[in-house]
Amino acid sequence: MTHVDPGLWTTIADTVAAVFLLAGAFLTLGAGVGLLRFPSLLARMHTVTKPQVLGLILLLTALALRVRSWSAVGMLVLVVAFQLVTSPVAAHMVGRAGFRTGKVDPDDLRPNEFGEPD
Amino acid sequence: MMLAAVMAAAVLVAVAALLALVRVERGPSMLDRAVALDTLTVTLVCAIAIEAIWSRRTETIPILVALSMVGFVGSVTMARFAGKEPEDEGRVRTPEEVAAQARAADVPRGEQRDGVRAIDAEDDAESAGGAQR
């Protein structure tokens, strides 16, 4: 095996980190744009759960590639796991509260498993 | 190269935070604001992560853990206590409307305050008399 300059791996990791950083920031921007432009509560909730979490995961992956220390990676995994666990719960709570307080158009739901709103 | 990527990412995240802030202002309902504040918290996490990427530091990472928990608790709490809102209530009022409402509410309160002041004056007179006696 030929000798590889250790600085090369640093360069590669930094380059990949830069790509992930840009992708994550772009997805976060997508979440912001969708939040502003989507017409209804459920559509806005969609931007807060999906692109935002993926953007955060990409950004934290970039951070992990950049700092390259296992203790930091452990905490970043914790952040990602927490986002993945909590964002469906938060979205469910918000969606249910929106439905019960009449902020969701029942025609958007098909099938409508909640029945008619009170 | 890293500088350019970090600058571009910072600008994108800042714009996302600004858009979320506009949604917080517009509403129209409390739940929309809860959702937008959740996004705002996550953009804050992204901003701190970008700073850590730039300076290669690890000591700000616990802040990310704490912030990601705060955003969740905030939106769940707001969803738990969301009630039916009247059609027009979720809007931020203009200064003119606030002033008009304050004027309308001020008249009876002013009378009441005068009444209270009159009773206070009587009390003062009584207590003053009691002190003299």
Side-chain angles (χ1 to χ4, degrees):
Chain A
M1 203 174 138
T2 52
H3 174 74
V4 179
D5 181 19
L8 181 64
W9 292 114
T10 310
T11 313
I12 289 173
D14 279 0
T15 309
V16 175
V19 171
F20 278 21
L21 171 66
L22 283 176
F26 183 73
L27 276 171
T28 307
L29 177 69
V33 171
L35 191 64
L36 188 62
R37 289 194 53 86
F38 279 175
S40 68
L41 175 66
L42 292 184
R44 285 176 204 136
M45 225 167 61
H46 164 87
T47 70
V48 175
T49 45
K50 285 164 200 151
Q52 182 179 282
V53 171
L54 183 57
L56 189 68
I57 290 173
L58 287 175
L59 263 171
L60 296 183
T61 311
L63 180 54
L65 283 170
R66 184 88 167 139
V67 297
R68 292 191 287 277
S69 96
W70 284 113
S71 65
V73 170
M75 273 191 283
L76 294 176
V77 168
L78 194 65
V79 174
V80 168
F82 209 78
Q83 279 289 319
L84 286 176
V85 169
T86 57
S87 95
V89 176
H92 175 82
M93 291 287 288
V94 169
R96 194 180 60 167
F99 184 82
R100 286 184 176 167
T101 55
K103 295 181 189 76
V104 174
D105 184 4
D107 294 338
D108 287 347
L109 305 174
R110 73 176 77 86
N112 182 352
E113 289 177 341
F114 282 117
E116 289 300 308
D118 308 329
Chain B
M1 181 202 68
M2 207 61 202
L3 176 65
V6 165
M7 291 292 275
V11 168
L12 292 179
V13 168
V15 171
L18 203 66
L19 295 176
L21 205 59
V22 171
R23 178 49 72 193
V24 171
E25 193 270 337
R26 286 194 191 165
S29 75
M30 207 164 84
L31 292 171
D32 290 299
R33 295 200 168 99
V35 162
L37 281 173
D38 204 9
T39 306
L40 203 60
T41 315
V42 174
T43 51
L44 195 58
V45 172
C46 291
I48 294 172
I50 288 171
E51 196 276 332
I53 287 172
W54 173 239
S55 59
R56 277 188 205 272
R57 67 160 115 187
T58 55
E59 62 263 35
T60 52
I61 291 174
I63 302 176
L64 305 183
V65 181
L67 268 180
S68 68
M69 290 181 192
V70 167
F72 166 69
V73 171
S75 59
V76 165
T77 310
M78 280 177 83
R80 189 75 190 79
F81 293 105
K84 280 194 166 60
E85 294 169 71
E87 196 62 40
D88 204 35
E89 202 174 74
R91 207 164 42 83
V92 174
R93 291 173 299 169
T94 61
E96 290 80 26
E97 285 172 321
V98 174
Q101 201 182 24
R103 265 200 305 279
D106 237 12
V107 179
R109 203 191 298 156
E111 284 170 5
Q112 191 189 3
R113 199 184 296 138
D114 285 347
V116 168
R117 199 173 294 146
I119 293 167
D120 279 349
E122 281 171 20
D123 281 352
D124 284 350
E126 271 177 29
S127 59
Q132 275 176 356
R133 258 181 265 145

